[in-house]
Amino acid sequence: MKSKLPITVVMLVAGAFMIVPFLWMISTSLQTPAEVFKQWLPSKLDWSSHRRIWTGNYNFLPYYLNSLKIAVIGTAGALFLSALAAYGFARTEFKGRNAMFLVYLSMMMIPPQVIFVPKFILFNWLHIYNTHWALILPAMFSIFGVFMLRQFFMGIPREITESAFLDGAGHFTIFFRLVLPLAKPALATFAIIDFSWQWNDYENALVFLQSPKLYTIPLGLQNFILENNVDYNGMMAASSAAIIPMIVIFLLGQKYIIQGISSSAVKG
């Protein structure tokens, strides 16, 4: 027990250092402009900066709706397609399966910036450039999701699926009725991770969205900062609003994160 005490103390100190910027951001968003560089805590709660970003000239509501649309649809598609592909790599036997999976996995090594030009040409040809589909469709295909769910599926005892085969069940029946219910922790973990990636995706939105009415939260926040670079209260209020969905989703699904990640690492 004593040997764990120093590690616990170190982790507490590290955690405190990590949470201080977050607390300072919240505190600054509730201060008056005169208090920003004078004190840590507001003398009284000033909600004017929060009201301004929701009801003022720079309304964040459209950015929220756009980000929710992209993140929800993209995450739902990524969950289904990744689970389906992962089941194929984990539970079906075909020639060259492992080699194909290694090639597929090697695509994670390709920097996303390298394929911006091919994606631009493809999206322009499909007439989805400067639409939300330019962000949604690529987000539905997740190499990480396939890898993570495959690892989890390989940890499910084969006796379960083999007995279902003997009873006359096909792959789709086994996938939907047996595998997916057992994979809820891994699916929830991947959903949280993928939603976070898509909600915070700045680079793709910057490249493939031109119309301001299509902007997502990262683009809206960046434009707000550029246009109001001395409005520290407003910037902190906008940043606080941008992370609310992440906090809510993490609090709702935190119990699945460790369980899903540890389960997906059982077999390789």
Side-chain angles (χ1 to χ4, degrees):
M1 188 68 180
K2 293 182 179 180
S3 61
K4 294 184 178 180
L5 183 60
I7 298 177
T8 303
V9 172
V10 171
M11 295 303 293
L12 285 174
V13 173
F17 274 110
M18 293 179 67
I19 202 173
V20 163
F22 172 75
L23 296 177
W24 180 79
M25 176 183 68
I26 301 296
S27 176
T28 303
S29 71
L30 298 173
Q31 292 177 347
T32 62
E35 295 175 334
V36 173
F37 296 107
K38 293 183 179 180
Q39 58 196 56
W40 275 88
L41 299 176
S43 55
K44 65 177 183 179
L45 300 182
D46 183 4
W47 296 94
S48 60
S49 297
H50 288 271
R51 288 194 295 268
R52 188 168 69 254
I53 67 170
W54 290 109
T55 61
N57 295 328
Y58 217 90
N59 191 348
F60 265 64
L61 182 59
Y63 304 142
Y64 251 76
L65 296 178
N66 291 337
S67 289
L68 282 174
K69 171 187 173 183
I70 293 169
V72 169
I73 299 176
T75 300
L79 273 174
F80 176 73
L81 294 177
S82 297
L84 197 61
Y87 177 84
F89 281 122
R91 291 295 177 173
T92 60
E93 299 289 343
F94 57 90
K95 187 176 181 179
R97 183 187 67 172
N98 293 334
M100 183 183 296
F101 180 72
L102 288 176
V103 172
Y104 183 74
L105 203 61
S106 67
M107 295 174 63
M108 293 182 67
M109 303 297 180
I110 302 176
Q113 296 82 2
V114 173
I115 59 175
F116 274 158
V117 173
K119 286 170 67 175
F120 173 83
I121 296 172
L122 177 62
F123 294 162
N124 195 46
W125 178 70
L126 294 174
H127 303 289
I128 61 172
Y129 176 73
N130 195 33
T131 69
H132 287 155
W133 289 109
L135 274 63
I136 293 173
L137 290 179
M140 289 184 176
F141 301 92
S142 172
I143 302 173
F144 170 78
V146 174
F147 169 73
M148 176 181 173
L149 295 177
R150 172 188 176 271
Q151 301 303 97
F152 186 91
F153 292 165
M154 291 182 68
I156 298 175
R158 285 193 171 270
E159 290 78 7
I160 297 177
T161 55
E162 289 175 356
S163 61
F165 273 122
L166 293 176
D167 290 336
H171 282 296
F172 282 102
T173 301
I174 295 172
F175 174 71
F176 285 107
R177 295 191 179 183
L178 289 178
V179 175
L180 288 187
L182 292 173
K184 285 181 180 179
L187 291 172
T189 302
F190 173 58
I192 294 170
I193 296 173
D194 194 66
F195 186 92
S196 301
W197 282 346
Q198 296 188 46
W199 181 268
N200 295 314
D201 185 8
Y202 171 75
E203 200 169 41
N204 283 293
L206 179 66
V207 173
F208 300 117
L209 296 180
Q210 286 187 326
S211 176
K213 67 180 182 179
L214 299 176
Y215 281 1
T216 58
I217 281 288
L219 287 182
L221 180 61
Q222 180 64 22
N223 286 348
F224 181 88
I225 293 174
L226 292 175
E227 295 178 13
N228 304 272
N229 55 10
V230 294
D231 183 5
Y232 299 106
N233 305 89
M235 286 190 286
M236 295 300 104
S239 300
S240 302
I243 66 172
I244 290 175
M246 295 293 93
I247 296 176
V248 172
I249 289 180
F250 178 79
L251 292 177
L252 292 176
Q254 61 177 327
K255 65 179 182 179
Y256 293 109
I257 293 179
I258 296 177
Q259 182 182 357
I261 292 177
S262 60
S263 297
S264 64
V266 171
K267 295 182 70 176

Coordinates of all heavy atoms in Angstrom, one line a residue, residues 54-126:
W54 N -24.3 33.2 -28.0 CA -25.5 32.5 -28.4 C -26.6 33.4 -29.0 O -27.4 32.9 -29.8 CB -26.1 31.7 -27.2 CG -25.3 30.6 -26.7 CD1 -24.6 30.5 -25.6 CD2 -25.1 29.3 -27.4 NE1 -24.0 29.3 -25.5 CE2 -24.2 28.6 -26.6 CE3 -25.5 28.8 -28.6 CZ2 -23.8 27.3 -26.9 CZ3 -25.1 27.5 -28.9 CH2 -24.3 26.8 -28.1
T55 N -26.6 34.6 -28.6 CA -27.7 35.5 -29.1 C -27.2 36.7 -29.8 O -27.9 37.5 -30.4 CB -28.6 36.0 -27.9 OG1 -27.8 36.7 -27.0 CG2 -29.2 34.8 -27.2
G56 N -25.8 37.0 -29.9 CA -25.3 38.1 -30.5 C -25.1 38.0 -32.0 O -25.7 37.1 -32.6
N57 N -24.3 38.8 -32.6 CA -24.1 38.8 -34.0 C -23.3 37.5 -34.4 O -23.5 37.1 -35.6 CB -23.2 40.0 -34.4 CG -24.0 41.3 -34.2 OD1 -25.2 41.4 -34.3 ND2 -23.3 42.4 -33.9
Y58 N -22.6 36.9 -33.5 CA -21.8 35.7 -33.8 C -22.5 34.6 -33.1 O -22.1 34.1 -32.0 CB -20.4 35.9 -33.3 CG -19.4 35.3 -34.3 CD1 -18.8 36.0 -35.3 CD2 -19.0 33.9 -34.1 CE1 -17.9 35.4 -36.2 CE2 -18.1 33.3 -35.0 CZ -17.6 34.1 -36.0 OH -16.7 33.5 -36.9
N59 N -23.6 34.1 -33.7 CA -24.4 33.0 -33.1 C -23.8 31.7 -33.3 O -23.6 31.3 -34.5 CB -25.8 33.1 -33.6 CG -26.8 32.2 -32.9 OD1 -26.4 31.4 -32.1 ND2 -28.1 32.4 -33.1
F60 N -23.5 30.9 -32.2 CA -22.9 29.6 -32.3 C -23.9 28.5 -32.6 O -23.5 27.3 -32.9 CB -22.1 29.3 -31.1 CG -20.7 29.7 -31.2 CD1 -20.3 31.0 -31.3 CD2 -19.7 28.7 -31.1 CE1 -18.9 31.3 -31.4 CE2 -18.3 29.0 -31.2 CZ -18.0 30.3 -31.3
L61 N -25.2 28.8 -32.5 CA -26.2 27.7 -32.7 C -26.0 27.0 -34.1 O -26.1 25.7 -34.1 CB -27.6 28.2 -32.5 CG -28.7 27.2 -32.6 CD1 -28.5 26.1 -31.6 CD2 -30.1 27.9 -32.4
P62 N -25.9 27.7 -35.2 CA -25.8 27.0 -36.5 C -24.5 26.1 -36.5 O -24.6 25.0 -37.1 CB -25.7 28.1 -37.5 CG -26.3 29.3 -36.9 CD -26.0 29.1 -35.4
Y63 N -23.4 26.5 -35.9 CA -22.2 25.7 -35.9 C -22.5 24.4 -35.0 O -22.0 23.4 -35.4 CB -21.1 26.5 -35.2 CG -20.8 27.8 -35.9 CD1 -20.4 28.9 -35.2 CD2 -20.9 27.9 -37.3 CE1 -20.1 30.1 -35.8 CE2 -20.6 29.1 -37.9 CZ -20.2 30.2 -37.2 OH -20.0 31.4 -37.8
Y64 N -23.2 24.6 -33.9 CA -23.5 23.4 -33.1 C -24.3 22.4 -33.9 O -24.1 21.2 -33.9 CB -24.3 23.9 -31.9 CG -23.5 23.8 -30.6 CD1 -22.5 24.7 -30.3 CD2 -23.7 22.8 -29.7 CE1 -21.8 24.6 -29.2 CE2 -23.0 22.7 -28.5 CZ -22.0 23.6 -28.3 OH -21.3 23.5 -27.1
L65 N -25.4 22.9 -34.6 CA -26.2 22.0 -35.4 C -25.5 21.3 -36.5 O -25.7 20.1 -36.7 CB -27.4 22.8 -35.9 CG -28.4 23.4 -34.9 CD1 -29.5 24.2 -35.6 CD2 -29.0 22.3 -34.0
N66 N -24.6 22.1 -37.2 CA -23.8 21.5 -38.2 C -22.8 20.4 -37.7 O -22.7 19.3 -38.2 CB -23.0 22.5 -38.9 CG -23.8 23.5 -39.7 OD1 -24.9 23.1 -40.2 ND2 -23.3 24.7 -40.0
S67 N -22.2 20.7 -36.5 CA -21.3 19.7 -36.0 C -22.0 18.5 -35.5 O -21.5 17.3 -35.6 CB -20.5 20.3 -34.8 OG -19.5 21.3 -35.3
L68 N -23.2 18.7 -34.9 CA -24.0 17.5 -34.4 C -24.4 16.7 -35.6 O -24.4 15.4 -35.5 CB -25.2 18.0 -33.6 CG -25.0 18.5 -32.2 CD1 -26.2 19.1 -31.6 CD2 -24.5 17.3 -31.3
K69 N -24.8 17.3 -36.7 CA -25.3 16.5 -37.9 C -24.1 15.7 -38.4 O -24.3 14.5 -38.6 CB -25.7 17.5 -38.9 CG -26.0 16.9 -40.3 CD -26.3 17.9 -41.3 CE -26.4 17.3 -42.7 NZ -26.7 18.3 -43.8
I70 N -22.9 16.3 -38.5 CA -21.8 15.6 -39.1 C -21.3 14.5 -38.1 O -21.1 13.3 -38.5 CB -20.7 16.6 -39.4 CG1 -21.1 17.5 -40.5 CG2 -19.4 15.8 -39.8 CD1 -20.1 18.7 -40.7
A71 N -21.2 14.8 -36.9 CA -20.7 13.9 -35.9 C -21.6 12.7 -35.7 O -21.2 11.5 -35.6 CB -20.4 14.6 -34.6
V72 N -22.9 13.0 -35.6 CA -23.9 11.9 -35.3 C -24.0 10.9 -36.5 O -23.9 9.7 -36.3 CB -25.2 12.5 -34.9 CG1 -26.3 11.4 -34.9 CG2 -25.2 13.2 -33.6
I73 N -24.2 11.5 -37.7 CA -24.3 10.6 -38.8 C -23.0 9.9 -39.1 O -23.0 8.7 -39.4 CB -24.8 11.5 -40.1 CG1 -26.1 12.1 -39.8 CG2 -24.8 10.6 -41.3 CD1 -26.6 13.0 -40.9
G74 N -21.9 10.6 -39.1 CA -20.6 10.0 -39.3 C -20.3 8.9 -38.3 O -19.8 7.8 -38.7
T75 N -20.6 9.1 -37.0 CA -20.3 8.1 -36.0 C -21.2 6.9 -36.2 O -20.7 5.7 -36.1 CB -20.5 8.7 -34.6 OG1 -19.6 9.8 -34.5 CG2 -20.2 7.7 -33.5
A76 N -22.5 7.1 -36.5 CA -23.4 6.0 -36.7 C -22.9 5.1 -37.9 O -22.9 3.9 -37.8 CB -24.8 6.5 -36.9
G77 N -22.6 5.8 -39.0 CA -22.1 5.0 -40.1 C -20.8 4.3 -39.9 O -20.6 3.2 -40.3
A78 N -19.9 5.0 -39.1 CA -18.6 4.3 -38.8 C -18.8 3.1 -37.9 O -18.1 2.1 -38.0 CB -17.7 5.4 -38.1
L79 N -19.7 3.2 -36.9 CA -20.0 2.1 -36.1 C -20.5 0.9 -36.9 O -20.0 -0.2 -36.7 CB -21.1 2.5 -35.0 CG -20.6 3.2 -33.8 CD1 -21.9 3.6 -33.0 CD2 -19.8 2.3 -32.9
F80 N -21.4 1.1 -37.8 CA -22.0 -0.1 -38.5 C -20.9 -0.6 -39.5 O -20.7 -1.9 -39.5 CB -23.2 0.4 -39.3 CG -23.8 -0.7 -40.1 CD1 -24.5 -1.8 -39.6 CD2 -23.6 -0.7 -41.5 CE1 -25.0 -2.8 -40.4 CE2 -24.1 -1.7 -42.3 CZ -24.8 -2.7 -41.8
L81 N -20.3 0.2 -40.3 CA -19.4 -0.3 -41.3 C -18.1 -0.9 -40.6 O -17.6 -1.9 -41.1 CB -19.0 0.8 -42.2 CG -20.1 1.4 -43.1 CD1 -19.6 2.5 -44.0 CD2 -20.7 0.3 -44.0
S82 N -17.6 -0.3 -39.6 CA -16.4 -0.8 -38.9 C -16.8 -2.2 -38.2 O -15.9 -3.1 -38.3 CB -15.9 0.2 -37.8 OG -15.5 1.4 -38.4
A83 N -17.9 -2.3 -37.6 CA -18.3 -3.5 -37.0 C -18.5 -4.6 -38.0 O -18.1 -5.8 -37.8 CB -19.6 -3.4 -36.2
L84 N -19.1 -4.3 -39.2 CA -19.3 -5.3 -40.2 C -18.0 -5.7 -40.8 O -17.7 -6.9 -41.0 CB -20.2 -4.7 -41.3 CG -20.8 -5.6 -42.3 CD1 -21.8 -6.6 -41.6 CD2 -21.6 -4.8 -43.4
A85 N -17.0 -4.8 -41.1 CA -15.7 -5.2 -41.6 C -14.9 -5.9 -40.6 O -14.2 -6.9 -40.9 CB -15.0 -3.9 -42.0
A86 N -15.0 -5.5 -39.3 CA -14.3 -6.2 -38.3 C -14.8 -7.7 -38.1 O -14.0 -8.6 -37.9 CB -14.4 -5.5 -36.9
Y87 N -16.1 -7.9 -38.2 CA -16.6 -9.2 -38.2 C -16.1 -10.1 -39.3 O -15.7 -11.3 -39.1 CB -18.1 -9.2 -38.2 CG -18.8 -10.6 -38.2 CD1 -19.0 -11.3 -37.0 CD2 -19.1 -11.2 -39.4 CE1 -19.5 -12.5 -37.0 CE2 -19.7 -12.5 -39.4 CZ -19.9 -13.1 -38.2 OH -20.5 -14.4 -38.2
G88 N -16.0 -9.5 -40.5 CA -15.5 -10.2 -41.6 C -14.0 -10.6 -41.4 O -13.6 -11.8 -41.7
F89 N -13.2 -9.7 -40.9 CA -11.8 -10.1 -40.6 C -11.6 -11.0 -39.5 O -10.6 -11.7 -39.4 CB -11.0 -8.8 -40.4 CG -10.7 -8.0 -41.6 CD1 -11.1 -6.7 -41.8 CD2 -9.9 -8.6 -42.6 CE1 -10.7 -6.0 -42.9 CE2 -9.6 -7.9 -43.8 CZ -10.0 -6.6 -43.9
A90 N -12.5 -11.0 -38.5 CA -12.3 -11.8 -37.3 C -13.0 -13.2 -37.4 O -12.5 -14.1 -36.8 CB -12.9 -11.0 -36.1
R91 N -14.1 -13.3 -38.1 CA -15.0 -14.5 -38.0 C -15.2 -15.2 -39.3 O -15.8 -16.3 -39.3 CB -16.3 -14.1 -37.4 CG -16.2 -13.7 -35.9 CD -15.8 -14.8 -35.1 NE -15.6 -14.5 -33.7 CZ -15.4 -15.3 -32.7 NH1 -15.3 -16.6 -33.0 NH2 -15.2 -14.9 -31.4
T92 N -14.8 -14.7 -40.4 CA -14.9 -15.4 -41.7 C -13.6 -15.8 -42.2 O -12.6 -15.1 -42.0 CB -15.6 -14.5 -42.7 OG1 -14.9 -13.4 -42.9 CG2 -17.0 -14.1 -42.2
E93 N -13.5 -17.0 -42.8 CA -12.3 -17.5 -43.3 C -12.2 -17.4 -44.8 O -13.2 -17.8 -45.5 CB -12.1 -19.0 -43.0 CG -12.1 -19.3 -41.5 CD -10.8 -18.9 -40.8 OE1 -9.8 -18.7 -41.6 OE2 -10.8 -18.8 -39.6
F94 N -11.2 -16.7 -45.3 CA -11.0 -16.6 -46.8 C -9.5 -16.4 -47.1 O -8.8 -16.0 -46.2 CB -11.8 -15.4 -47.4 CG -11.6 -14.1 -46.8 CD1 -10.6 -13.3 -47.3 CD2 -12.3 -13.6 -45.7 CE1 -10.3 -12.0 -46.8 CE2 -12.0 -12.4 -45.1 CZ -11.1 -11.6 -45.7
K95 N -9.1 -16.8 -48.2 CA -7.7 -16.8 -48.6 C -7.2 -15.3 -48.6 O -7.8 -14.4 -49.2 CB -7.6 -17.4 -50.0 CG -6.1 -17.6 -50.4 CD -6.0 -18.3 -51.7 CE -4.5 -18.5 -52.1 NZ -4.4 -19.2 -53.5
G96 N -6.0 -15.2 -48.0 CA -5.4 -13.9 -47.9 C -6.0 -12.9 -46.9 O -5.7 -11.7 -47.0
R97 N -6.8 -13.4 -46.0 CA -7.5 -12.6 -45.0 C -6.5 -11.8 -44.2 O -6.6 -10.5 -44.0 CB -8.3 -13.4 -44.1 CG -9.1 -12.6 -43.1 CD -9.9 -13.5 -42.1 NE -8.9 -14.2 -41.2 CZ -9.3 -14.9 -40.1 NH1 -10.6 -15.0 -39.8 NH2 -8.4 -15.5 -39.4
N98 N -5.5 -12.4 -43.6 CA -4.5 -11.7 -42.7 C -3.7 -10.7 -43.5 O -3.4 -9.6 -43.0 CB -3.6 -12.8 -42.0 CG -4.4 -13.6 -41.0 OD1 -5.4 -13.2 -40.5 ND2 -3.9 -14.8 -40.8
A99 N -3.3 -11.1 -44.7 CA -2.5 -10.2 -45.6 C -3.3 -9.0 -45.9 O -2.8 -7.8 -45.9 CB -2.0 -10.9 -46.8
M100 N -4.6 -9.2 -46.3 CA -5.4 -8.1 -46.6 C -5.6 -7.1 -45.4 O -5.6 -5.9 -45.5 CB -6.8 -8.6 -47.1 CG -7.8 -7.5 -47.5 SD -9.4 -8.1 -48.0 CE -8.9 -9.1 -49.4
F101 N -5.7 -7.7 -44.2 CA -5.9 -6.9 -43.0 C -4.7 -6.1 -42.7 O -4.7 -4.9 -42.3 CB -6.2 -7.8 -41.8 CG -6.4 -7.0 -40.5 CD1 -7.6 -6.3 -40.4 CD2 -5.5 -7.1 -39.5 CE1 -7.8 -5.6 -39.2 CE2 -5.7 -6.4 -38.3 CZ -6.8 -5.6 -38.2
L102 N -3.5 -6.7 -42.9 CA -2.2 -5.9 -42.7 C -2.1 -4.8 -43.7 O -1.7 -3.7 -43.3 CB -1.0 -6.9 -42.8 CG -0.8 -7.9 -41.7 CD1 0.3 -8.8 -42.0 CD2 -0.6 -7.1 -40.4
V103 N -2.5 -5.0 -45.0 CA -2.5 -3.9 -45.9 C -3.4 -2.8 -45.5 O -3.1 -1.6 -45.6 CB -2.8 -4.5 -47.4 CG1 -3.0 -3.3 -48.3 CG2 -1.7 -5.4 -47.8
Y104 N -4.6 -3.3 -45.1 CA -5.6 -2.3 -44.7 C -5.2 -1.5 -43.5 O -5.3 -0.3 -43.4 CB -6.9 -3.0 -44.3 CG -8.1 -2.2 -43.9 CD1 -8.8 -1.4 -44.9 CD2 -8.5 -2.1 -42.6 CE1 -9.8 -0.6 -44.5 CE2 -9.5 -1.3 -42.2 CZ -10.2 -0.6 -43.2 OH -11.3 0.2 -42.8
L105 N -4.5 -2.2 -42.5 CA -4.0 -1.5 -41.3 C -2.9 -0.6 -41.7 O -2.7 0.4 -41.0 CB -3.6 -2.6 -40.3 CG -3.5 -2.2 -38.9 CD1 -4.9 -1.8 -38.4 CD2 -2.9 -3.4 -38.0
S106 N -2.1 -0.9 -42.7 CA -0.9 0.0 -43.0 C -1.4 1.3 -43.5 O -0.6 2.3 -43.5 CB -0.1 -0.7 -44.1 OG -0.8 -0.8 -45.3
M107 N -2.6 1.4 -43.9 CA -3.1 2.7 -44.4 C -3.2 3.8 -43.3 O -3.3 5.0 -43.5 CB -4.5 2.6 -45.0 CG -4.5 1.7 -46.3 SD -6.2 1.4 -46.9 CE -6.8 3.1 -47.3
M108 N -3.1 3.3 -42.0 CA -3.1 4.2 -40.9 C -1.8 5.0 -40.9 O -1.7 6.1 -40.2 CB -3.2 3.5 -39.6 CG -4.6 2.8 -39.3 SD -4.7 2.0 -37.7 CE -4.6 3.3 -36.6
M109 N -0.7 4.5 -41.6 CA 0.6 5.2 -41.6 C 0.6 6.4 -42.6 O 1.5 7.2 -42.6 CB 1.6 4.2 -42.0 CG 1.7 3.0 -41.1 SD 2.2 3.5 -39.4 CE 2.2 1.8 -38.6
I110 N -0.5 6.4 -43.5 CA -0.5 7.5 -44.5 C -1.0 8.8 -43.8 O -2.1 8.8 -43.3 CB -1.4 7.1 -45.7 CG1 -0.9 5.8 -46.3 CG2 -1.5 8.2 -46.7 CD1 -1.8 5.3 -47.4
P111 N -0.2 9.9 -43.9 CA -0.7 11.1 -43.3 C -2.0 11.6 -44.1 O -2.0 11.5 -45.3 CB 0.5 12.1 -43.5 CG 1.6 11.2 -43.7 CD 1.1 10.0 -44.4
P112 N -3.0 12.1 -43.4 CA -4.2 12.5 -44.1 C -4.0 13.6 -45.0 O -4.7 13.8 -46.0 CB -5.2 12.9 -42.9 CG -4.3 13.1 -41.7 CD -3.1 12.2 -41.9
Q113 N -3.0 14.5 -44.8 CA -2.7 15.6 -45.6 C -2.3 15.2 -47.0 O -2.5 15.9 -48.0 CB -1.6 16.5 -45.0 CG -2.0 17.2 -43.7 CD -1.8 16.3 -42.5 OE1 -1.3 15.1 -42.7 NE2 -2.1 16.7 -41.3
V114 N -1.7 14.0 -47.1 CA -1.3 13.5 -48.4 C -2.4 13.3 -49.4 O -2.2 13.4 -50.6 CB -0.5 12.2 -48.2 CG1 -0.1 11.5 -49.6 CG2 0.8 12.4 -47.4
I115 N -3.6 12.9 -48.9 CA -4.7 12.6 -49.8 C -5.7 13.7 -49.9 O -6.8 13.5 -50.4 CB -5.4 11.3 -49.3 CG1 -5.9 11.4 -47.9 CG2 -4.5 10.1 -49.4 CD1 -6.7 10.2 -47.4
F116 N -5.4 14.9 -49.5 CA -6.3 16.0 -49.6 C -6.6 16.3 -51.0 O -7.8 16.6 -51.4 CB -5.7 17.3 -48.9 CG -6.0 17.3 -47.4 CD1 -5.3 18.1 -46.6 CD2 -7.1 16.6 -46.9 CE1 -5.6 18.2 -45.2 CE2 -7.4 16.7 -45.6 CZ -6.6 17.5 -44.7
V117 N -5.6 16.3 -51.9 CA -5.8 16.7 -53.3 C -6.6 15.6 -54.0 O -7.6 15.9 -54.7 CB -4.5 16.9 -54.0 CG1 -4.7 17.0 -55.6 CG2 -3.7 18.1 -53.5
P118 N -6.3 14.3 -53.9 CA -7.2 13.3 -54.4 C -8.6 13.4 -53.9 O -9.6 13.2 -54.7 CB -6.5 12.0 -54.1 CG -5.1 12.3 -53.8 CD -5.1 13.7 -53.3
K119 N -8.8 13.6 -52.6 CA -10.1 13.8 -52.1 C -10.9 15.0 -52.6 O -12.1 14.9 -52.9 CB -10.1 13.9 -50.5 CG -9.7 12.5 -49.9 CD -9.4 12.7 -48.4 CE -10.6 13.2 -47.6 NZ -10.3 13.2 -46.1
F120 N -10.1 16.1 -52.8 CA -10.7 17.2 -53.4 C -11.2 17.0 -54.8 O -12.4 17.3 -55.2 CB -9.7 18.4 -53.4 CG -10.2 19.6 -54.2 CD1 -11.0 20.5 -53.5 CD2 -9.9 19.8 -55.5 CE1 -11.5 21.7 -54.2 CE2 -10.3 20.9 -56.2 CZ -11.1 21.9 -55.5
I121 N -10.4 16.3 -55.6 CA -10.8 16.0 -57.0 C -12.0 15.0 -57.0 O -13.0 15.2 -57.8 CB -9.6 15.3 -57.8 CG1 -8.5 16.3 -57.9 CG2 -10.1 14.8 -59.1 CD1 -7.2 15.7 -58.5
L122 N -12.0 14.0 -56.1 CA -13.1 13.1 -56.0 C -14.4 13.8 -55.6 O -15.5 13.6 -56.2 CB -12.8 11.9 -55.1 CG -13.8 10.9 -54.8 CD1 -14.2 10.2 -56.1 CD2 -13.4 9.9 -53.7
F123 N -14.3 14.6 -54.5 CA -15.5 15.3 -54.0 C -16.1 16.2 -55.1 O -17.3 16.4 -55.2 CB -15.2 16.0 -52.7 CG -14.8 15.1 -51.6 CD1 -14.2 15.6 -50.5 CD2 -15.2 13.7 -51.6 CE1 -13.8 14.8 -49.4 CE2 -14.8 12.9 -50.6 CZ -14.2 13.4 -49.5
N124 N -15.2 16.9 -55.8 CA -15.6 17.8 -56.8 C -16.3 17.1 -58.0 O -17.4 17.5 -58.5 CB -14.4 18.6 -57.4 CG -14.9 19.8 -58.2 OD1 -15.7 20.6 -57.8 ND2 -14.3 20.0 -59.3
W125 N -15.8 15.9 -58.3 CA -16.5 15.0 -59.3 C -17.8 14.5 -58.9 O -18.8 14.4 -59.7 CB -15.5 13.9 -59.7 CG -16.1 13.0 -60.7 CD1 -16.3 13.2 -62.0 CD2 -16.5 11.6 -60.5 NE1 -16.8 12.1 -62.7 CE2 -16.9 11.1 -61.7 CE3 -16.6 10.8 -59.4 CZ2 -17.4 9.8 -61.9 CZ3 -17.0 9.5 -59.5 CH2 -17.5 9.0 -60.8
L126 N -17.9 14.2 -57.6 CA -19.2 13.7 -57.0 C -20.2 14.8 -56.7 O -21.3 14.5 -56.2 CB -18.9 12.9 -55.8 CG -18.2 11.6 -56.0 CD1 -17.8 10.9 -54.6 CD2 -19.0 10.6 -56.8

